[in-house]
Amino acid sequence: MEHSQVVNKKRFEQINSTQGLQSESKPLLNANGWQHVVNETYFDLKVQVKRPNQFTGQIQQAVLDQMGISDYVADSVHYQRSGQDLSKASDSILLTFPLNGSVCFQQQKRQLTCHPGQFFIELSHEPYQFYHSETVKLQVLKVPIAKLENHQRLIEQYFAQPITTEKGSGRLLNHQINHALHLATNFELSSVESQLLEQQLLDLIIHTLHRPAMSLADSQVSTIKAAHLQRIENFIHFNLANPQISPKLVSQSCHISERYIHLLFQDLPYSFSEWVKLTRLLAANKLLTKANCSSVAEVGYQVGFTDQSYFSRIYKKHFGFPPKDTPSTHCKPH
């Protein structure tokens, strides 16, 4: 058993070094201690390991204001969250980022295999299965659902689906988690510092889940469909100030039938009108964060909103704050 611990420690150090991370300060755990640590770090799960006498795991956790970040390395293991566990459900979600090795996840008839360069969302209030058949290294972000209550629809759309961390806000989120974990485990952060780090992570999570920020052509569709979606996307971005954008206008301008436009969006998690609205909101948010931006009313008109009260209402519903309170903005008041 002592020899097994030495071998596992060397293997874990090798996994950490390949990720450019410092070796963990937490001790290696056997199968008996793993169940307790997993439950304490995340929430109640049934843990099963294939080789209890050889199993080794390691978790290091940092807590910000209300969110937790953990580094996780473990041998092959299977987790199950059942109805009995849900009676003690913590109202949180987990964002899981494989750094080394792949993991499998099943929840509400959705199933996926998540690889390095991706992450996925686990819901604490629904049963699920999570497993990996090899030694893996993960980073896991535990977020109270109350922090994202204004974005519940996004959570419902994107749980148990792989989301890229290789570009866009997903890449920034992945980088910021590493940065926050380093700061939280190596420095004694003040309450204000913890809150600021947490808010940065929340903002990046929200932006990453607003997948209209990604290209429509990145969707898992055929090459031909992707080409049509790219044409639609280019037209809409170029004409965003036009409040009359509609499938009919796009059809006439891009020479694609209206019926086919609706069929293209059937494979996406949002309708044509939803995508246009979210694209307008993201463009407005980008303008409002600039130090030399126009007034809130002018920004609304620039992205195609003619009704400013409607613009302010859906902006607040989407981002959790009104346009005039957009973080880092120096805009003139509405």
Side-chain angles (χ1 to χ4, degrees):
M1 183 63 180
E2 182 179 349
H3 173 70
S4 175
Q5 288 284 336
V6 172
V7 172
N8 286 342
K9 183 175 182 180
K10 290 182 178 179
R11 183 173 70 252
F12 281 24
E13 289 176 347
Q14 183 179 19
I15 289 174
N16 286 331
S17 65
T18 61
Q19 299 299 323
L21 300 171
Q22 295 180 345
S23 181
E24 301 286 356
S25 60
K26 291 291 184 180
L28 299 180
L29 300 170
N30 59 24
N32 291 331
W34 191 245
Q35 173 82 65
H36 174 74
V37 169
V38 165
N39 290 353
E40 286 292 313
T41 305
Y42 307 119
F43 33 69
D44 288 345
L45 294 163
K46 181 181 180 181
V47 179
Q48 294 177 303
V49 298
K50 288 184 177 180
R51 298 179 292 273
N53 293 334
Q54 300 178 26
F55 175 84
T56 306
Q58 192 176 48
I59 290 180
Q60 180 167 352
Q61 184 185 33
V63 179
L64 298 178
D65 183 31
Q66 298 179 45
M67 292 166 51
I69 311 173
S70 57
D71 253 354
Y72 164 117
V73 187
D75 292 332
S76 174
V77 62
H78 183 285
Y79 303 100
Q80 184 173 0
R81 188 157 174 78
S82 64
Q84 182 178 1
D85 299 320
L86 299 182
S87 62
K88 304 176 182 178
S90 60
D91 295 326
S92 301
I93 62 170
L94 299 183
L95 281 67
T96 299
F97 298 74
L99 302 182
N100 184 289
S102 301
V103 299
C104 300
F105 184 74
Q106 299 175 12
Q107 188 168 47
Q108 284 191 1
K109 298 182 180 180
R110 295 185 186 180
Q111 56 184 3
L112 65 89
T113 300
C114 192
H115 309 284
Q118 301 174 321
F119 77 94
F120 66 96
I121 296 172
E122 308 170 38
L123 304 178
S124 69
H125 61 278
E126 296 287 347
Y128 70 71
Q129 294 188 62
F130 176 109
Y131 55 94
H132 49 87
S133 57
E134 57 184 345
T135 302
V136 302
K137 179 173 179 62
L138 314 172
Q139 282 184 339
V140 183
L141 193 61
K142 184 177 180 181
V143 185
I145 197 64
K147 291 283 186 178
L148 297 166
E149 61 183 354
N150 291 326
H151 308 277
Q152 184 65 31
R153 186 178 179 189
L154 284 173
I155 302 300
E156 293 171 353
Q157 283 181 331
Y158 297 120
F159 79 90
Q161 294 190 18
I163 303 171
T164 184
T165 59
E166 295 184 337
K167 56 185 175 181
S169 54
R171 178 165 55 189
L172 294 177
L173 174 60
N174 193 35
H175 174 78
Q176 187 64 12
I177 289 173
N178 279 307
H179 180 62
L181 183 60
H182 171 76
L183 290 175
T185 54
N186 289 278
F187 299 93
E188 186 174 344
L189 301 179
S190 68
S191 176
V192 172
E193 289 171 328
S194 293
Q195 290 173 10
L196 285 172
L197 278 175
E198 186 169 291
Q199 188 59 52
Q200 289 174 351
L201 289 171
L202 285 169
D203 290 342
L204 284 170
I205 291 170
I206 292 166
H207 277 280
T208 302
L209 294 182
H210 289 311
R211 293 186 61 177
M214 299 169 57
S215 172
L216 287 174
D218 288 339
S219 305
Q220 300 299 312
V221 297
S222 68
T223 303
I224 295 176
K225 288 184 177 180
H228 287 311
L229 288 169
Q230 186 66 66
R231 289 168 61 198
I232 293 171
E233 180 178 25
N234 291 341
F235 174 81
I236 290 173
H237 278 291
F238 189 75
N239 294 276
L240 204 58
N242 183 355
Q244 304 302 321
I245 290 178
S246 65
K248 182 177 181 179
L249 179 62
V250 173
S251 172
Q252 294 171 346
S253 303
C254 298
H255 306 292
I256 304 171
S257 73
E258 288 186 58
R259 180 176 179 274
Y260 189 61
I261 290 173
H262 290 297
L263 287 174
L264 288 172
F265 277 83
Q266 279 185 357
D267 295 326
L268 304 178
Y270 31 74
S271 67
F272 174 88
S273 61
E274 288 173 333
W275 187 81
V276 172
K277 181 175 70 175
L278 291 173
T279 302
R280 294 189 197 277
L281 289 172
L282 290 170
N285 178 260
K286 186 175 181 179
L287 290 171
L288 287 167
T289 57
K290 294 181 179 179
N292 60 346
C293 71
S294 305
S295 70
V296 169
E298 289 171 338
V299 167
Y301 283 119
Q302 286 180 47
V303 298
F305 290 108
T306 57
D307 184 334
Q308 293 307 301
S309 62
Y310 171 73
F311 167 53
S312 295
R313 185 171 68 255
I314 65 171
Y315 187 100
K316 181 178 180 180
K317 182 178 180 181
H318 189 75
F319 291 105
F321 44 80
K324 64 183 180 64
D325 293 336
T326 300
S328 301
T329 183
H330 300 281
C331 296
K332 293 173 284 186
H334 185 179

